[in-house]
């Protein structure tokens, strides 16, 4: 019984940590999209993708969308 509770507790902690990381990355991506300009006016598209598909949209934005920003100094 004790090992079952311990395993459940560890699994729950892992899921909570995973969800908090995803939530943090989702918020970061939404703020990053709002603050920057994108090529071909893709800001609205990226915002909608990340907003409505939190996990998949966040990963897509991190790996592909960040490269499409217009860099201004």
């Amino acid at each position: 019984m004790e090992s079952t509770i311990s395993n459940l507790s560890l699994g729950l902690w892992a899921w909570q940590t995973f969800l908090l990381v995803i939530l943090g990355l989702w918020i970061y991506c939404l703020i990053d999209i709002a603050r920057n300009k994108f090529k071909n006016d893709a800001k609205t598209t990226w915002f909608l993708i990340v907003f409505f598909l939190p996990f998949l949209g966040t990963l897509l934005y991190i790996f592909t969308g960040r490269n499409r920003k217009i860099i201004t100094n």
Side-chain angles (χ1 to χ4, degrees), residues 1-67:
M1 181 72 174
E2 183 68 30
S3 67
T4 304
I5 293 173
S6 178
N7 289 340
L8 177 66
S9 170
L10 180 62
L12 185 60
W13 177 83
W15 274 108
Q16 288 174 342
T17 303
F18 174 74
L19 290 175
L20 283 174
V21 168
I22 292 298
L23 179 65
L25 285 173
W26 183 68
I27 292 170
Y28 165 76
C29 288
L30 290 174
I31 291 171
D32 193 50
I33 291 168
R35 287 186 176 178
N36 293 297
K37 293 182 179 182
F38 289 83
K39 299 175 185 173
N40 301 328
D41 294 327
K43 181 182 245 184
T44 305
T45 305
W46 275 115
F47 188 83
L48 291 173
I49 289 171
V50 171
F51 188 79
F52 287 114
L53 300 170
F55 181 70
L56 182 62
T58 299
L59 292 177
L60 283 172
Y61 179 72
I62 288 173
F63 290 116
T64 62
R66 293 180 65 203
N67 298 333

